[in-house]
Every structure is written in structure tokens, then in C-alpha cells.
């Protein structure tokens, strides 16, 4: 039996991306289709989404909702692979320049509750045949933006006596909870008793994330270790109680890599191609990167790269604290990202002080991201917490050894280059335990030590490049969950 599943999210690569969520939403539905499922996606009609779809056709009129008028549902396809994407056309809610969540001053839009309630509500309507030609059996919602989908479906179930679809909620990041003041609850059109501790209420406010966790039939998150971590007081973001209560419905399924996009043998964005046995192209990528960032042209300087959202989560303050170790040992560092202005400034100051060895560029650019991943010797991901992390998986594929904090998905995907792991042919990168400068510094020293032993370094690179984190296995696990539910 073909299972029909609707993925509900706010981003999808290559249409619109601020982080790994977009990569997952762009890759998981096609991987499910490959396995025989009928997977489609619902997105808000952000300008980049509308502009990037082919064959956009009207599906249904929605009318006036959540403060927007003349809302409608349209359907188009992704030019690259024909994936069917539904979009909510609501100009007043979604037609804004820049980031889907924040205004130019990095402040969340004042009507985010309505903007994303519209997303969850429309998903529930599609499950109830808003598109007369297709309705899903599974509504698979991603992160707080889509958290209300299962709440609206639960409300409809109460009205009609049976569920329109079964629901899965995937947590990509528990730190973003979609919390809004309680007085906005009235705007959502949910039954009054849903504003309850057993419901969307969260310490006197309402939380879209909690709605997803509470009302969905199953909860998944993006790595096994993170699934355990979020059930603890320290890392549960106030939701550990609910998550441990639901631990039997909660599972961790590791994200995959889309190797048609991240592949050094075919990547059209990088300076030269290379394979695990012919690494000359990687050296060319490193030279090009040093040139691009005006770093000293030293082929033997150990080059650390960072491609990251610049937020507290990513632990770059710790990297700054350990930076003297990199500089002292003749290494180099390239940081590319955007986010928290204080962190942006701090990084830029360090680059100004050490222009030969540290370069920082602010921005978001897919091409440069690929070039840094390809040209670096080490990709640093020293995150405080990391639900899965895709950057370290891309780094492995490009033979750029990941240096990571042992947390979340980082712990599940990188094996430290300790002597015994090298001896047993297991090492793929550098892993530090405690989130402290000394621990990171020790991992940096391990990287220099391994780099000095070229044969071991190359063997580790080759092993990293041969790791298989393709979507196939993970898509199988999602499909198994779908089958359990329908
Ligand atoms: P998160 O989703 O928490 O940001 P992930 O490692 O899962 O972390 O995914 C990050 C994704 O965003 C990767 O595809 C990475 O290449 C991309 N990315 C991060 N910063 C930038 C940037 N400044 N420019 C382009 N791509 C970026
Ligand atoms: C989130 C997490 C990241 C994860 C991504 C995709 O943004 O921070 O760890 O890889 O979602 O699931």
C-alpha cells in the first residue's frame, strides 16, 4: 500500500534555507518517494518559495483567516525533482523581505503566532480534503512552526469522532519553542480547553512546540543521543517532563546527507573535484580558500573551517577562547556565518588582529559554504548542544575531519582520533567531552598531532569519506513509523 504523507515545514532547500531544517525537508520526502511512499510538502508562501516552484496552480480558496484576507492554497512542483509542494498564498502574512521568522532588526515578527497558526491549520485542512484530489494519511510536522497541525487535527477529531490523519512531530531543535503570550490564544480558533497544562499552555503562555509534542501520535527527533538528552532536566528546555512521559512514543532518527548535493566528486561549486584515493583536488580547494580569504598561502598550515549560524548553540565563544592554540601552532581559521551581532563583532575583532591566520566573513551563501567545507582540513562544530548537525556529516564526505563536542548528533556521528581508535581503524575526527576551553584545546592539539603524521591523517580522511550517512536507512525508519500508524 502506498502511504500518503504530508510534510509541513517552514523551509525547504533549495527554495528557502536558514539552517539544516531546510536540507532535511528538501531531502527526506524524495527519499520516502524512492521507497514507494507518496510524500508531499506544505510550506508558507514566502516570496522565494512562490518564485522557485514550477506549474503553480490554484487548489482551493481559503478566504479570510488569521488576520489575512483572500488566502488560498496553491500547488506546484520543485523543478529539480518534481516533488509536489503545496503553498499557502497569504501576502499580508508571508510576503516580507528577508528571514522567514525575524525582521531586519532580528526581532521576531509581531504576528508570528498567526503566521504559523495558518501553517498548522492549513495542514489539518488538507488532511480533511481541502485539495479534492489528494489527502494525506500521515501529517508529518517539523519544528514549532508546524506544531499546531496536530492540535487542529485533534480538535477536528473531537468534532467528527474519528481522526482525519495520523500525526508525527519531528523536533529539529528544542531551543526554539514558538512561545507566545496567552492573550493570543483566542486568535487561533482552537477549543478553549486546549489552553491547559495538558495542551498548548506552557508556564502561563502558549507554546506551539508543546502543542506538537502533546497532540501528535508519535514524536521523533533527529538523533538517538538527542532523544535521550531532551528527556533530562538539564537539556529538556522545560519540556523534559512531557517528553519522558511520552518516551514510548519518542524516537531518535538520524538525519541523512543528500549526496547529490554534497559530494566532492561532482560538486560544481568547488575549485576542483577529488575522491578518497585521489586527494590532489582537495589541496587545490584549500589553496583557493586561502586565496579567497587572503590568508597566508601555506599548504601545510592546518586550516580549520566553520560554517554556521552564529548563535549561542554553536559554541563559537569556546572556539574563540581556544583560538590562541591554533594560532600558536601555525594553524588558520575561516569562519563564515551570520546571526547574533555580539558574536559577529567578537569574531571580526579577532580576524582584524590576525589577518594572516584568521578570516571571518558574515553572510549566508551556499557556494561559499561548499568551498569552506571542501577547502578546510578540519571543520569545527563545537556546539553546546546539537540535535543532529549536518555540517559534520558534510565535512566527513569531503575528508575535512570534524572537530566536535560530544553531544547530540555529533556524538552519534564522529569517532575521536584517539590512539586506540586509530589503531582499530575507527577514527573519523576529533571529539571533546566537556564544554570547556581546556577540553577543546586538547582536541585541537590532537588534530595538530595527527596532521603531523601524514599517513594516519590520510587514512583517517579516507575513512571519513567512506562513511555512509545517506538518507536511505533513515527514510526506512520513518516509513516504518508511518506503517505502524496507518
Ligand atoms: P543548524 O540547522 O542548527 O543550523 P546543521 O548543521 O544541521 O545546523 O545545518 C546547517 C546548514 O546550514 C548546513 O547546510 C550548512 O551548510 C548551512 N549553513 C550554515 N551557515 C551557513 C551560511 N552562512 N551560508 C550558507 N550555508 C550555511
Ligand atoms: C536544527 C538543529 C540541527 C539539525 C537540523 C536539521 O536546526 O540545530 O542540529 O541538524 O535542525 O534537523
Amino acid at each position: 500500500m502506498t502511504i500518503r504523507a504530508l510534510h509541513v515545514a517552514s523551509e525547504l532547500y533549495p527554495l528557502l534555507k536558514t539552517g539544516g531544517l531546510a536540507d532535511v525537508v528538501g531531502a527526506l520526502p524524495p527519499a520516502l518517494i524512492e521507497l514507494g511512499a507518496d510524500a508531499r510538502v506544505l510550506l508558507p508562501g514566502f516570496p522565494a518559495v512562490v518564485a522557485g516552484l514550477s506549474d503553480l496552480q490554484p487548489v482551493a480558496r481559503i478566504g479570510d483567516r488569521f488576520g489575512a484576507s483572500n488566502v488560498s492554497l496553491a500547488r506546484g512542483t520543485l523543478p529539480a525533482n518534481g516533488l509536489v509542494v503545496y503553498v499557502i498564498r497569504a501576502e499580508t502574512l508571508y510576503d516580507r523581505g528577508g528571514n522567514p521568522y525575524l525582521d531586519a532588526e532580528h526581532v521576531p515578527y509581531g504576528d508570528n503566532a498567526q503566521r504559523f497558526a495558518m501553517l498548522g491549520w492549513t495542514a489539518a485542512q488538507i488532511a480533511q480534503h481541502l485539495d479534492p484530489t489528494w489527502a494525506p494519511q500521515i501529517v508529518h510536522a517539523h519544528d514549532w512552526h508546524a506544531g499546531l497541525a496536530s492540535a487542529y487535527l485533534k480538535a477536528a477529531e473531537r468534532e467528527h469522532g474519528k481522526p482525519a490523519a495520523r500525526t508525527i512531530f519531528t523536533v529539529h531543535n528544542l531551543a526554539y519553542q514558538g512561545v507566545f503570550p496567552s492573550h493570543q490564544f483566542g486568535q487561533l480558533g482552537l477549543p478553549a480547553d486546549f489552553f491547559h497544562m495538558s495542551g498548548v499552555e506552557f508556564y502561563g503562555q502558549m507554546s506551539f512546540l508543546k502543542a506538537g509534542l502533546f497532540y501528535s501520535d508519535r514524536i521523533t527527533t533527529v538523533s538517538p543521543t538527542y532523544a535521550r538528552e531532551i528527556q533530562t532536566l538539564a537539556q529538556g528546555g522545560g519540556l523534559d517532563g512531557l517528553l519522558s512521559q511520552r518516551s514510548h512514543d519518542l524516537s531518535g532518527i538520524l538525519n541523512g546527507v543528500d549526496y547529490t548535493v554534497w559530494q566532492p566528486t561532482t560538486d560544481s561549486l568547488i575549485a576542483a573535484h577529488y575522491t578518497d584515493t585521489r586527494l590532489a583536488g582537495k589541496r587545490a580547494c584549500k589553496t583557493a580558500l586561502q586565496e579567497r580569504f587572503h590568508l597566508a598561502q601555506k599548504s601545510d598550515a592546518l586550516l580549520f573551517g566553520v560554517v554556521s549560524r552564529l548563535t549561542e548553540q554553536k559554541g563559537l565563544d569556546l572556539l574563540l577562547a581556544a583560538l590562541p592554540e591554533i594560532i600558536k601552532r601555525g594553524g588558520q581559521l575561516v569562519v563564515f556565518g551570520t546571526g547574533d551581532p555580539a558574536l559577529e563583532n567578537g569574531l571580526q575583532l579577532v580576524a582584524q588582529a590576525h589577518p594572516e591566520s584568521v578570516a571571518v566573513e558574515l553572510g549566508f551563501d551556499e557556494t561559499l559554504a561548499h568551498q569552506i567545507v571542501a577547502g578546510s582540513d578540519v571543520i569545527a562544530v563545537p556546539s553546546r548542544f546539537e540535535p543532529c548537525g549536518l555540517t559534520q556529516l558534510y565535512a566527513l564526505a569531503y575528508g575535512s575531519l570534524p572537530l566536535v563536542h560530544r553531544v547530540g548528533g555529533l556524538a552519534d556521528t564522529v569517532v575521536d582520533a584517539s590512539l586506540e581508535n586509530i589503531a582499530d581503524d575507527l577514527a573519523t575526527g576529533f571529539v571533546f567531552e566537556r564544554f570547556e576551553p581546556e577540553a577543546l584545546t586538547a582536541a585541537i592539539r590532537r588534530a595538530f598531532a595527527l596532521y603531523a603524521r601524514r599517513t594516519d591523517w590520510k587514512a583517517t580522511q579516507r575513512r571519513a569519506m567512506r562513511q555512509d550517512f545517506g538518507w536511505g536507512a533513515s527514510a526506512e525508519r520513518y516509513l516504518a513509523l508511518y506503517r505502524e500508524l496507518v
Side-chain angles (χ1 to χ4, degrees), residues 17 19-20 23 307-309 314 336-337 363-365 369 389-391 394:
K17 164 167 165 179
D23 291 356
V307 177
S308 181
R309 292 186 293 113
K314 298 297 179 178
F336 179 54
F364 196 95
D365 179 68
L390 292 167
T391 316
Y394 302 155

Side-chain angles (χ1 to χ4, degrees), residues 95-304:
D95 201 350
R96 299 175 192 175
N99 189 296
Y101 322 111
L102 313 173
D103 68 18
E105 269 73 54
H106 297 270
V107 178
Y109 296 113
D111 57 351
N112 270 352
Q114 288 167 302
R115 297 171 77 230
F116 293 103
M118 177 72 96
L119 180 63
W121 180 85
T122 306
Q125 294 303 307
I126 296 177
Q128 296 168 82
H129 302 277
L130 182 61
D131 177 354
T133 66
W134 190 87
Q137 298 151 293
I138 298 283
V139 170
H140 187 156
H142 298 268
D143 269 357
W144 74 261
H145 323 108
L148 287 191
S150 55
Y152 287 112
L153 278 165
K154 195 56 81 180
E157 177 180 342
R158 183 190 277 182
E159 207 172 298
H160 305 299
K162 61 176 189 359
R166 309 305 303 278
T167 49
I168 295 189
F169 184 69
T170 297
V171 181
H172 294 264
N173 197 332
L174 202 74
Y176 300 94
Q177 304 194 335
V179 172
F180 301 99
S182 58
H183 69 80
Q184 293 189 0
F185 179 76
Q187 301 166 350
L188 305 183
L190 284 168
D193 63 301
F194 278 35
F195 190 79
H196 189 273
M197 203 171 79
S198 297
V200 308
E201 189 269 349
F202 187 59
Y203 296 102
Q205 298 185 286
M206 58 176 179
S207 159
F208 283 26
L209 180 76
K210 188 180 168 196
L213 298 178
F214 186 82
Y215 290 108
S216 299
D217 295 314
R218 292 283 191 284
I219 304 166
T220 71
T221 187
V222 288
S223 69
T225 294
Y226 193 61
R228 288 192 298 275
E229 289 169 349
I230 56 178
Q231 296 180 55
T232 65
L233 181 64
Q235 292 174 80
L239 291 160
D240 42 290
L242 173 56
L243 285 161
S244 10
Q245 250 169 41
R246 297 211 58 190
S247 63
H248 293 296
D249 299 322
L250 166 63
S251 51
I253 303 179
L254 208 60
N255 286 334
V257 174
D258 184 343
Y259 289 117
T260 63
V261 179
W262 294 93
Q263 179 68 264
T265 54
T266 53
D267 191 333
S268 60
L269 303 175
I270 61 177
H273 292 156
Y274 56 94
T275 68
D276 61 341
T277 51
R278 300 176 69 102
L279 286 159
K282 183 161 179 64
R283 286 191 289 279
C285 289
K286 178 171 176 178
T287 306
L289 190 62
Q290 287 172 326
E291 249 170 56
R292 166 70 177 72
F293 281 93
H294 310 293
L295 293 171
Q297 290 281 333
K298 290 189 196 146
S299 62
D300 59 348
L302 185 61
L303 177 51
F304 291 75

Side-chain angles (χ1 to χ4, degrees), residues 34-98:
E34 191 117 313
L35 297 178
D38 179 0
R40 301 185 177 190
V41 182
L42 170 68
L43 298 171
F46 298 122
V49 170
V50 173
L53 290 171
S54 313
D55 316 316
L56 206 58
Q57 317 228 336
V59 171
R61 274 184 45 76
I62 289 174
D64 300 347
R65 278 260 151 193
F66 301 112
S69 47
N70 252 330
V71 180
S72 63
L73 183 70
R75 189 184 54 221
T77 55
L78 213 55
N81 55 14
L83 180 70
V84 177
V85 178
Y86 291 95
V87 281
I88 305 164
R89 308 296 306 264
E91 265 92 50
T92 48
L93 295 181
Y94 303 133
D95 201 350
R96 299 175 192 175

Side-chain angles (χ1 to χ4, degrees), residues 187-463:
Q187 301 166 350
L188 305 183
L190 284 168
D193 63 301
F194 278 35
F195 190 79
H196 189 273
M197 203 171 79
S198 297
V200 308
E201 189 269 349
F202 187 59
Y203 296 102
Q205 298 185 286
M206 58 176 179
S207 159
F208 283 26
L209 180 76
K210 188 180 168 196
L213 298 178
F214 186 82
Y215 290 108
S216 299
D217 295 314
R218 292 283 191 284
I219 304 166
T220 71
T221 187
V222 288
S223 69
T225 294
Y226 193 61
R228 288 192 298 275
E229 289 169 349
I230 56 178
Q231 296 180 55
T232 65
L233 181 64
Q235 292 174 80
L239 291 160
D240 42 290
L242 173 56
L243 285 161
S244 10
Q245 250 169 41
R246 297 211 58 190
S247 63
H248 293 296
D249 299 322
L250 166 63
S251 51
I253 303 179
L254 208 60
N255 286 334
V257 174
D258 184 343
Y259 289 117
T260 63
V261 179
W262 294 93
Q263 179 68 264
T265 54
T266 53
D267 191 333
S268 60
L269 303 175
I270 61 177
H273 292 156
Y274 56 94
T275 68
D276 61 341
T277 51
R278 300 176 69 102
L279 286 159
K282 183 161 179 64
R283 286 191 289 279
C285 289
K286 178 171 176 178
T287 306
L289 190 62
Q290 287 172 326
E291 249 170 56
R292 166 70 177 72
F293 281 93
H294 310 293
L295 293 171
Q297 290 281 333
K298 290 189 196 146
S299 62
D300 59 348
L302 185 61
L303 177 51
F304 291 75
V306 171
V307 177
S308 181
R309 292 186 293 113
L310 302 180
T311 62
E312 159 105 8
Q313 171 187 348
K314 298 297 179 178
L316 298 173
D317 46 337
L318 196 70
L319 187 61
L320 276 182
L323 189 60
E325 191 68 27
I326 295 181
I327 296 174
K328 187 180 85 190
R329 291 176 184 266
Q332 298 179 329
L333 172 68
V334 167
V335 180
F336 179 54
T338 173
D340 173 14
L343 200 50
E344 289 182 346
N345 291 336
L347 286 164
Q348 279 183 314
L349 285 178
V350 180
Q352 278 158 20
H354 308 277
E356 292 261 284
S357 40
V358 181
V360 172
E361 189 159 315
L362 306 179
F364 196 95
D365 179 68
E366 195 70 22
T367 302
L368 202 48
H370 281 244
Q371 291 169 348
I372 294 170
V373 169
S376 302
D377 297 305
V378 175
I379 289 289
V381 192
S383 309
R384 282 190 165 71
F385 65 93
E386 194 63 76
C388 178
L390 292 167
T391 316
Q392 84 281 7
L393 300 180
Y394 302 155
L396 288 170
Y398 283 72
S400 311
L401 304 185
L403 189 160
V404 305
H405 181 208
R406 208 176 91 159
V407 73
L410 301 173
D412 293 337
T413 55
V414 182
V415 179
D416 184 55
S418 63
L419 267 183
E420 61 274 26
N421 284 336
I422 294 174
D424 292 347
D425 285 333
L426 296 171
T428 56
F430 311 96
V431 184
F432 63 97
E433 294 274 336
R434 282 164 296 114
F435 191 80
E436 290 166 4
E438 299 72 37
L440 172 54
T441 301
I444 289 171
R445 289 172 55 207
R446 267 200 307 292
F448 278 99
L450 190 68
Y451 195 56
R453 298 160 54 151
R454 291 302 160 108
T455 313
D456 286 334
W457 181 273
K458 277 203 176 135
T460 309
Q461 261 184 324
R462 229 172 272 136
R463 196 175 308 114

